[in-house]
Amino acid sequence: MVILFALAVFGLNGGYHGVSSFSPSLRTPPSAVKRSLSWSDGSRFKATATSWQQNNNLGRVTHRASSTPMSMVDDVNIDVIGTVALLVPSSSSGGQSSSKFGSKSPVPPPSYIEAAEQLARKIRHFSDGRIVAKVVTPAENGEDSENAAAACLTSDALFALGITTPSDVQYLSRTFRRRRELQQQSGSSKMCQFAIDCGTNNYAPIVGPYDEANPSITSTLAPWSDVASGKRLAVQMAELFDKQNTDEFSLAVMLFFNRFSGHKVPWVQHSIDVTWEKGPYQNAKEIYSMVTKCGPCITKCLNDENCAACINELDKIDTRDQVASYRTVVSFESELLRDFSLCILQKNNIFECDATIPKVPVVEPMKMWRGEEVTMDVARGIMIGHLEGAGGSLEGNQQVDVSWKVACGANVAYDQFPSQNQLFYPNAKGKDLWYDPAFRVETIDGRSVWCKRHYRVRNCEVPGTFRFSVLDNGVTSDEFWTIVGAADDLSWVVFHYAGAAGAVGQRYLGGLLCTPDGTLPPSNALDEIWKVLRSAEIEPWELFVVNNDDKSPDALAAGPPPLDYYRKTAAVIG
């Protein structure tokens, strides 16, 4: 069992929250918001200008909130480690045609240009601003044509989206061929190119030193080599692109730059899998540490049918795939599994992982509600929402058995984890809150089961911002939440979250649209809600609608949700 310890037993957030450029639409946070980010370490990086930027007349790198440089957003200058060109159809050949993104959202899918613009933002988020993405089209003449050609040829990575018309296909084929020639001339391994949703033509990808059009026997005979690593990554990236959502797309981009840019990308830097990329020394070191420090836990787990089955299933996936990992873990939850992960991951950090809460984007909390400034008490009351019998509730509380239900979530997990119930209530001392999500999981063996978690919630300095923490399956997760907007009548609320599970090196971002019963708000409220989401740099088409039907066969099979499991004691002794 080679990947015995490849165990991603971490809770990614409430219910499930997570399982990835510059743009004129990004926002500038006020100084008050910057002060609220108590997790910022204040580190600085020297800004650099790359040849790609110079060739495209970009000047200094700015990550824009209106026209504000990133250094004014969070007082951090950025070292750019990579560049990306996102090639979309020209306006004359279908640039506004619908893409395949957003197929499970409550709104129509975006055009390729709209999808690419958001991908550029997500790439910035996932890379902490260190990878710069630009959207280009196959311009036919003039300065735009020169700039597009320069971006396509000199960017480290080129991803073509929805290129299908004859003229655009010709441009793409010529560009891919020229990039291939340039790589062969330079011998550089810092190159990547893919064609996604571009018809039936075979555009062989390049990932680092691996070129599918010119395969090397080394990629098969020497699995430890860089070219073999590129081949494996090419397969993984293609699978992520096929999922047609911005998180998976951005994850694929991060994996490439982490492997072949010469720089580590914190979003995907750490792995708890045995890999050729780690090398024999690091793999052996980790195995030795596991056996010497957690031998009894390992023995107990392997001798238990359920625990051993979980490890076998995790052995089949890349544990950096947060949704797949979490779904696998919750399919086999047990005390043995918790103790196993607590020893290996949390107590001893066998894999030397580290992760901090993402700092980008900085999301501004709601300032006004019902015509008055939001205070800490009001923000807590909005969190408590509609829960019956909870102190601190506000006028409009419907006195039901949950605070909120998630109607939509900005993460693919919300397509896989239905029935998202949220309970917020004060602890015994009344200062902090508890947060108990109860949600269903469709396990990998076809069962429908309830999962529950228990978070501590603390106020941050700025009203409407909170710090969440939880020990989930032996691993601690730390999160920063923001109330981005809420209806005056408490008919809906929008949350943004950013979190990290340090012991497994995982970071995540997302947003939630919640209502009292888990259904979408009426159509006359949606324009305001979409505006609120966009202020958090989330597009409505990135949302996944949650199945909250409690009369569905799977919901009935799972039985009633364990809503009061923690509340019946936590409010008294917490």
Side-chain angles (χ1 to χ4, degrees):
M1 196 174 300
V2 179
I3 308 183
L4 161 68
F5 51 94
L7 202 50
V9 283
F10 49 91
L12 294 182
N13 35 37
Y16 180 98
H17 300 158
V19 169
S20 326
S21 89
F22 44 66
S23 169
S25 65
L26 304 189
R27 302 165 44 257
T28 305
S31 58
V33 179
K34 289 188 285 182
R35 290 195 300 271
S36 75
L37 302 180
S38 57
W39 39 268
S40 175
D41 59 11
S43 59
R44 293 175 176 270
F45 301 91
K46 182 180 179 181
T48 61
T50 68
S51 60
W52 183 83
Q53 296 152 5
Q54 294 166 347
N55 287 339
N56 288 278
N57 302 314
L58 297 180
R60 67 166 292 193
V61 179
T62 58
H63 303 264
R64 299 169 70 89
S66 299
S67 59
T68 304
M70 174 60 105
S71 59
M72 292 179 63
V73 171
D74 57 8
D75 203 27
V76 176
N77 292 322
I78 302 297
D79 259 328
V80 174
I81 65 170
T83 55
V84 174
L86 298 165
L87 182 65
V88 298
S90 57
S91 57
S92 61
S93 60
Q96 296 301 322
S97 59
S98 296
S99 70
K100 293 182 180 179
F101 288 85
S103 62
K104 296 185 178 181
S105 78
V107 299
S111 68
Y112 285 107
I113 291 178
E114 291 169 334
E117 288 173 345
Q118 182 64 1
L119 286 170
R121 298 183 190 105
K122 272 292 179 70
I123 289 168
R124 181 181 74 93
H125 298 170
F126 278 37
S127 67
D128 298 318
R130 300 173 71 208
I131 300 172
V132 180
K134 182 176 184 178
V135 180
V136 295
T137 61
E140 296 179 358
N141 50 54
E143 183 178 349
D144 287 344
S145 176
E146 295 178 4
N147 287 341
C152 288
L153 290 178
T154 62
S155 62
D156 299 316
L158 171 62
F159 303 109
L161 301 170
I163 302 295
T164 56
T165 63
S167 59
D168 285 358
V169 165
Q170 185 179 29
Y171 182 94
L172 174 60
S173 298
R174 184 171 62 248
T175 301
F176 268 28
R177 183 169 59 251
R178 181 58 180 146
R179 284 175 60 89
R180 184 168 275 112
E181 293 170 354
L182 291 172
Q183 185 194 40
Q184 292 169 353
Q185 293 169 9
S186 67
S188 171
S189 63
K190 190 181 177 182
M191 179 179 283
C192 183
Q193 63 186 38
F194 270 89
I196 302 151
D197 195 20
C198 291
T200 58
N201 290 340
N202 181 24
Y203 302 97
I206 294 175
V207 178
Y210 174 72
D211 182 354
E212 188 178 278
N214 300 289
S216 167
I217 193 171
T218 304
S219 65
T220 302
L221 298 182
W224 58 85
S225 64
D226 284 346
V227 67
S229 179
K231 181 178 181 179
R232 288 189 294 270
L233 185 53
V235 173
Q236 185 178 10
M237 291 178 70
E239 292 174 348
L240 290 169
F241 291 144
D242 284 345
K243 295 180 181 180
Q244 298 283 345
N245 71 74
T246 56
D247 282 351
E248 307 284 18
F249 191 107
S250 302
L251 174 63
V253 176
M254 297 306 108
L255 289 170
F256 166 72
F257 281 99
N258 185 69
R259 181 66 184 90
F260 291 113
S261 72
H263 301 270
K264 293 300 181 183
V265 178
W267 202 278
V268 294
Q269 176 179 353
H270 299 286
S271 172
I272 62 173
D273 299 318
V274 170
T275 66
W276 288 108
E277 286 73 19
K278 284 184 178 180
Y281 172 78
Q282 185 64 26
N283 285 326
K285 176 184 175 183
E286 291 171 355
I287 293 173
Y288 178 79
S289 294
M290 252 198 335
V291 172
T292 56
K293 295 177 180 179
C294 299
C297 291
I298 294 172
T299 301
K300 290 179 181 178
C301 183
L302 292 179
N303 288 333
D304 178 79
E305 182 178 355
N306 182 74
C307 194
C310 183
I311 295 173
N312 281 328
E313 291 299 325
L314 286 166
D315 194 16
K316 301 174 184 178
I317 61 176
D318 184 334
T319 51
R320 288 174 295 188
D321 185 335
Q322 298 179 7
V323 175
S325 300
Y326 194 71
R327 184 176 177 222
T328 301
V329 168
V330 297
S331 296
F332 297 95
E333 282 187 323
S334 68
E335 289 189 12
L336 282 177
L337 195 59
R338 181 201 62 200
D339 293 343
F340 180 94
S341 61
L342 183 64
C343 181
I344 291 175
L345 301 174
Q346 193 67 46
K347 288 183 177 180
N348 293 290
N349 195 12
I350 297 295
F351 306 103
E352 301 173 353
C353 293
D354 184 37
T356 58
I357 296 175
K359 301 174 184 177
V360 181
V362 179
V363 177
E364 180 181 351
M366 177 178 65
K367 290 189 180 69
M368 303 293 293
W369 189 70
R370 293 181 177 174
E372 298 183 356
E373 287 190 8
V374 173
T375 64
M376 290 187 177
D377 286 342
V378 167
R380 283 162 50 90
I382 291 173
M383 282 280 196
I384 292 168
H386 300 276
L387 185 64
E388 62 179 342
S393 61
L394 302 170
E395 182 182 352
N397 181 316
Q398 296 182 10
Q399 296 294 313
V400 294
D401 57 0
V402 296
S403 297
W404 299 98
K405 289 191 175 186
V406 182
C408 298
N411 191 286
V412 67
Y414 293 101
D415 181 47
Q416 299 190 22
F417 300 152
S419 301
Q420 293 271 343
N421 301 283
Q422 298 182 317
L423 283 78
F424 293 94
Y425 53 94
N427 68 1
K429 296 180 180 178
K431 179 181 179 181
D432 297 329
L433 295 174
W434 293 114
Y435 168 45
D436 299 348
F439 57 102
R440 275 195 303 117
V441 174
E442 296 170 359
T443 65
I444 60 176
D445 58 356
R447 293 172 293 121
S448 184
V449 300
W450 286 104
C451 287
K452 53 193 179 298
R453 299 292 182 261
H454 190 50
Y455 287 69
R456 182 178 293 277
V457 182
R458 293 166 289 149
N459 291 315
C460 289
E461 180 181 348
V462 174
T465 60
F466 300 86
R467 226 19 212 274
F468 285 48
S469 60
V470 66
L471 181 66
D472 187 348
N473 278 300
V475 175
T476 298
S477 291
D478 190 18
E479 301 174 9
F480 183 82
W481 280 51
T482 302
I483 300 177
V484 191
D488 285 350
D489 62 358
L490 290 179
S491 58
W492 58 266
V493 64
V494 171
F495 299 117
H496 180 272
Y497 59 83
V504 287
Q506 293 284 11
R507 311 168 88 204
Y508 45 90
L509 289 167
L512 306 171
L513 168 59
C514 303
T515 60
D517 60 1
T519 61
L520 283 172
S523 57
N524 60 5
L526 293 180
D527 284 346
E528 180 183 359
I529 293 170
W530 301 157
K531 182 179 179 181
V532 169
L533 282 163
R534 289 189 176 105
S535 76
E537 300 187 19
I538 296 170
E539 287 295 325
W541 53 264
E542 293 184 281
L543 298 173
F544 289 81
V545 176
V546 176
N547 177 9
N548 286 306
D549 182 7
D550 57 5
K551 302 299 182 184
S552 68
D554 286 340
L556 294 174
L563 299 178
D564 64 346
Y565 184 86
Y566 297 107
R567 188 186 180 195
K568 57 190 176 185
T569 55
V572 177
I573 64 175

